[in-house]
């Protein structure tokens, strides 16, 4: 991996069969419901512009925003321009913008108002006729889960899901329900209007280049496979830590919590990719089958008092600034039991991973922002050194950094120069930014392009969603019976019960 060159890197936005050929979407319109929200303005709209700027969108392309704001098309286009200039990853180019802006439209109204969808239908008909979008429409539901059924029913009632007049696809943002029963209800709601191959569940972590590189690390290199098992790995830690609080999202976050928001989707997907067997190919069905095997074999321990942990951040110091606790955040009830720290132990009943615990944790108000997968290795069975010679020797580890500073590092012992035999922990590091001249595309670029192309490999399917909820539901039910989460000071690495959880197995959390 360290020897890879920029010329060997395959841009995921290009055709894997011929890296010189870009994967250009065909004529289509992309409709964003909830387009005035932060996700749309900071991520989705800039990602669409970046695709256009890279030449990956067709001339026949429409971008339609739907929200309650009473904008004209021109006013909405100016908002999109401002968001693009503020958040796009590629430089702003007038020629790219002029091509994109011709297809930008806005539809105002409430989602439960039939007139809103009459206007949307008229707008899509106009784009089909004047911009050549050919009846191909993708509907991106960047809305609260409670609105999914409303929007889907309106689309169906207004004749906008007819697959005989061009393809129709729907995109759903996580969380995919709030438990197993609601996930099944959501699937029932969506599947009555869209066939399974037209439903795309967005997990933006699966679009990150370093997550994709996990598959390359494992299956393109012979050197890692021999120790990727319980003969050498003592345990695995998968961490997503954020240094921010709820950032004004009280209405969304309270009642959802860290486990539903992150563990059920992001972290269990990372675990499945880490633990899966080699697929016969990266054809979607093969990749999905191997991930499902892992999730089906996974279980939490029955004693959840000992092998799960949750917390809620209290006031503290972050970056030299005093910050409020969760219960002091605007819009949070004073008696809220929503967790902002969640950790669970998962065991995988397979020959490769029997006896290797996987520890998954996520939290807000941590000392730093980091997402990583760390394979922690067993100690050497015999160390022919005095204790004083190895006191600075830590645990061997292979760490995949998902964000920020994407890369891979190995931690091992080496002799300190000019000493007798003193062993110290050292790090061998690979960083994407230092090895490749071309920057990785933003995750939403990759995923939106895949939606427009109808390419499903990176999207979790219903079976994976249900298996994940089967794993997490007992934990959530147990926590609901336990009262308030344990507080931890903002800017620290979490509550004491999380430290105790690993200590019972003789381990400690990594400090990224």
């Amino acid at each position: 991996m360290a020897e890879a060159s920029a010329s060997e890197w395959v841009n995921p936005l290009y055709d894997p069969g011929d890296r010189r050929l870009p994967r250009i979407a065909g004529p289509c319109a992309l409709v964003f419901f909830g387009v005035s929200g932060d996700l749309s303005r900071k991520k989705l709209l800039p990602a669409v512009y970046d695709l256009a700027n890279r030449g990956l969108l067709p001339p026949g392309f429409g971008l339609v925003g739907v929200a309650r704001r009473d904008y004209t098309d021109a006013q909405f286009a100016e908002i999109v321009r401002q968001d693009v200039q503020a958040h796009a990853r590629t430089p702003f180019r007038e020629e790219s913008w002029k091509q994109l802006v011709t297809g930008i439209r806005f539809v105002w109204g409430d989602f439960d108002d039939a007139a809103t969808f009459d206007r949307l239908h008229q707008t899509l008909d106009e784009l089909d006729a004047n911009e050549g979008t050919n009846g191909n429409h993708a509907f991106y539901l960047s809305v609260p889960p409670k609105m999914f059924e409303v929007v889907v029913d309106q689309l169906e009632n207004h004749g906008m899901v007819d697959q005989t007049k061009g393809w129709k696809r729907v995109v759903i943002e996580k969380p995919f329900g709030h438990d197993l029963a609601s996930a099944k209800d959501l699937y029932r709601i969506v599947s009555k209007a869209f066939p399974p191959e037209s439903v795309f569940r967005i997990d933006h972590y699966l679009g990150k280049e370093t997550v994709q590189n996990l598959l390359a690390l494992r299956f393109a290199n012979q050197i890692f496979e021999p120790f990727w098992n319980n003969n050498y790995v003592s345990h695995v830690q998968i961490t997503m830590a954020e240094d921010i609080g709820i950032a004004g999202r009280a209405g969304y976050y309270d009642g959802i919590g860290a486990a539903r928001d992150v563990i059920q989707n992001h972290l269990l997907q990372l675990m499945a990719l880490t633990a899966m067997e080699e697929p016969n190919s990266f054809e979607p069905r093969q990749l999905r089958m191997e991930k499902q095997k892992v999730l089906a074999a996974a279980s939490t321990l029955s004693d959840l008092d000992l092998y799960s942990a949750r917390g809620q951040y209290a006031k503290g110091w972050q970056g030299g600034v005093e910050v409020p606790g969760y219960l002091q955040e605007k819009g949070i009830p004073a008696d809220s039991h929503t967790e902002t720290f969640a950790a669970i132990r998962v065991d995988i009943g397979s020959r490769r991973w029997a006896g290797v615990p996987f520890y998954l944790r996520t939290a807000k108000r941590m000392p730093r922002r980091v997402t990583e997968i760390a394979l922690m290795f067993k100690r050497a069975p015999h160390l022919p050194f005095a204790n004083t010679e190895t006191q600075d020797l830590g645990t061997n580890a292979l760490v995949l950094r998902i964000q920020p500073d994407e890369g891979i590092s190995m931690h091992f012992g080496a002799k300190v120069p000019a000493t007798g035999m003193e062993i110290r922990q050292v790090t061998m590091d690979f960083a994407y930014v230092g090895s490749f001249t071309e920057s990785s595309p933003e995750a939403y670029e990759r995923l939106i392009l895949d939606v427009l192309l109808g390419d499903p490999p990176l999207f979790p399917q219903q079976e994976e969603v249900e298996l994940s909820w089967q794993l997490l539901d007992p934990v959530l039910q147990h926590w609901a019976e336990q009262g308030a989460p344990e507080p931890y000071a903002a800017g620290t690495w979490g509550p004491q019960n999380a430290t105790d959880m690993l200590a019972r197995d003789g381990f400690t959390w990594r400090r990224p």
Side-chain angles (χ1 to χ4, degrees):
M1 297 227 17
E3 296 177 357
S5 67
S7 63
E8 294 171 330
W9 186 68
V10 179
N11 189 327
L13 302 179
Y14 279 60
D15 189 328
D18 186 340
R19 67 186 67 183
R20 298 168 299 178
L21 299 177
R23 301 163 66 226
I24 301 175
C28 59
L30 178 58
V31 181
F32 286 121
F33 290 94
V35 75
S36 58
D38 275 358
L39 175 64
S40 293
R41 300 193 61 179
K42 293 181 180 179
K43 293 291 186 180
L44 303 181
L45 296 175
V48 170
Y49 168 80
D50 286 332
L51 289 172
N53 208 16
R54 297 181 195 271
L56 302 179
L57 296 182
F61 179 76
L63 172 61
V64 183
V66 184
R68 286 180 293 181
R69 311 292 177 88
D70 190 7
Y71 297 138
T72 65
D73 290 345
Q75 289 172 329
F76 177 58
E78 181 56 31
I79 290 170
V80 175
R81 181 186 179 113
Q82 293 171 8
D83 293 339
V84 163
Q85 290 176 323
H87 303 292
R89 291 166 61 93
T90 59
F92 188 82
R93 298 167 57 229
E94 282 294 340
E95 55 268 36
S96 298
W97 175 250
K98 287 179 180 178
Q99 178 177 324
L100 183 63
V101 75
T102 61
I104 291 181
R105 304 289 188 274
F106 185 78
V107 175
W108 63 271
D110 291 319
F111 299 150
D112 56 2
D113 184 355
T116 304
F117 289 81
D118 287 334
R119 289 189 287 271
L120 176 59
H121 201 317
Q122 293 169 7
T123 299
L124 291 175
D125 285 346
E126 183 266 320
L127 286 171
D128 289 343
N130 298 332
E131 299 296 330
T133 50
N134 291 359
N136 300 318
H137 307 147
F139 303 100
Y140 198 121
L141 275 57
S142 182
V143 298
K146 64 183 180 181
M147 297 305 298
F148 288 168
E149 184 169 12
V150 174
V151 174
V152 170
D153 282 347
Q154 293 274 28
L155 290 173
E156 185 177 24
N157 293 339
H158 287 76
M160 286 186 277
V161 298
D162 184 356
Q163 301 285 349
T164 65
K165 302 176 182 178
W167 53 254
K168 307 297 186 295
R169 297 171 186 147
V170 64
V171 185
I172 304 170
E173 275 280 350
K174 61 92 177 172
F176 313 123
H178 57 84
D179 57 14
L180 179 59
S182 61
K184 289 180 176 179
D185 284 344
L186 175 59
Y187 180 66
R188 174 188 54 79
I189 291 164
V190 174
S191 61
K192 68 181 181 181
F194 296 91
E197 65 273 13
S198 297
V199 180
F200 292 78
R201 299 164 183 82
I202 285 278
D203 185 338
H204 68 274
Y205 261 71
L206 301 187
K208 291 183 179 294
E209 277 302 289
T210 40
V211 171
Q212 295 299 295
N213 198 58
L214 171 59
L215 301 178
L217 175 78
R218 291 195 56 195
F219 304 128
N221 300 287
Q222 180 65 14
I223 60 174
F224 298 109
E225 174 62 20
F227 61 68
W228 207 277
N229 54 58
N230 53 10
N231 291 326
Y232 296 95
V233 177
S234 67
H235 68 288
V236 179
Q237 297 184 22
I238 303 179
T239 297
M240 178 182 167
E242 296 182 276
D243 55 3
I244 60 172
I246 59 172
R249 299 168 68 223
Y252 164 78
Y253 196 87
D254 194 57
I256 297 292
R260 288 185 175 95
D261 190 41
V262 176
I263 290 181
Q264 184 274 333
N265 38 76
H266 299 333
L267 298 195
L268 286 175
Q269 284 286 322
L270 293 181
M271 182 192 77
L273 290 167
T274 302
M276 64 184 270
E277 296 298 322
E278 181 179 354
N280 293 334
S281 71
F282 287 123
E283 185 268 333
R285 189 177 65 85
Q286 295 291 333
L287 193 59
R288 185 163 61 245
M289 186 173 11
E290 296 303 334
K291 288 196 294 177
Q292 288 176 15
K293 288 178 183 177
V294 173
L295 294 171
S299 62
T300 54
L301 298 191
S302 57
D303 196 341
L304 293 172
D305 278 332
L306 302 180
Y307 288 104
S308 71
R310 64 185 180 127
Q312 189 182 80
Y313 65 81
K315 68 178 181 179
W317 292 85
Q318 194 118 41
V321 177
E322 189 172 21
V323 295
Y326 180 76
L327 298 180
Q328 287 77 54
E329 298 276 15
K330 184 178 180 180
I332 299 298
D335 60 351
S336 173
H337 288 178
T338 298
E339 82 281 352
T340 62
F341 179 104
I344 61 173
R345 170 178 161 170
V346 179
D347 288 10
I348 298 173
S350 69
R351 178 168 295 192
R352 181 186 291 267
W353 296 112
V356 178
F358 283 67
Y359 300 102
L360 282 55
R361 65 170 169 171
T362 182
K364 293 187 177 295
R365 288 293 184 204
M366 295 280 97
R368 62 183 295 247
R369 170 177 172 259
V370 62
T371 300
E372 67 173 31
I373 302 166
L375 275 73
M376 312 298 291
F377 294 97
K378 297 177 180 179
R379 300 280 288 185
H382 174 63
L383 291 174
F385 310 100
N387 289 337
T388 55
E389 295 171 336
T390 59
Q391 61 185 5
D392 292 327
L393 176 62
T395 302
N396 293 166
L398 176 66
V399 181
L400 290 87
R401 298 188 305 277
I402 308 300
Q403 68 172 13
D405 306 323
E406 294 90 344
I408 300 166
S409 60
M410 296 189 70
H411 304 265
F412 56 92
K415 179 184 175 299
V416 178
T419 64
M421 181 56 77
E422 180 184 353
I423 310 297
R424 185 180 301 169
Q425 189 88 342
V426 298
T427 300
M428 183 167 63
D429 195 63
F430 156 74
Y432 281 87
V433 68
S435 299
F436 298 114
T437 57
E438 184 171 354
S439 62
S440 299
E442 211 277 335
Y444 279 106
E445 284 184 66
R446 173 84 183 267
L447 295 171
I448 288 173
L449 182 58
D450 283 348
V451 169
L452 301 182
L453 291 166
D455 192 10
L458 301 182
F459 298 87
Q461 300 299 301
Q462 181 65 17
E463 293 86 350
E464 296 170 63
V465 172
E466 292 188 12
L467 287 168
S468 297
W469 280 120
Q470 287 177 21
L471 192 63
L472 193 59
D473 270 2
V475 179
L476 296 172
Q477 183 177 352
H478 174 76
W479 288 351
E481 298 167 355
Q482 301 305 306
E486 181 178 334
Y488 63 95
T492 66
W493 283 106
Q496 182 62 39
N497 61 31
T499 301
D500 296 342
M501 184 176 82
L502 261 68
R504 292 185 183 95
D505 293 332
F507 305 129
T508 58
W509 290 108
R510 262 181 51 81
R511 294 294 174 91

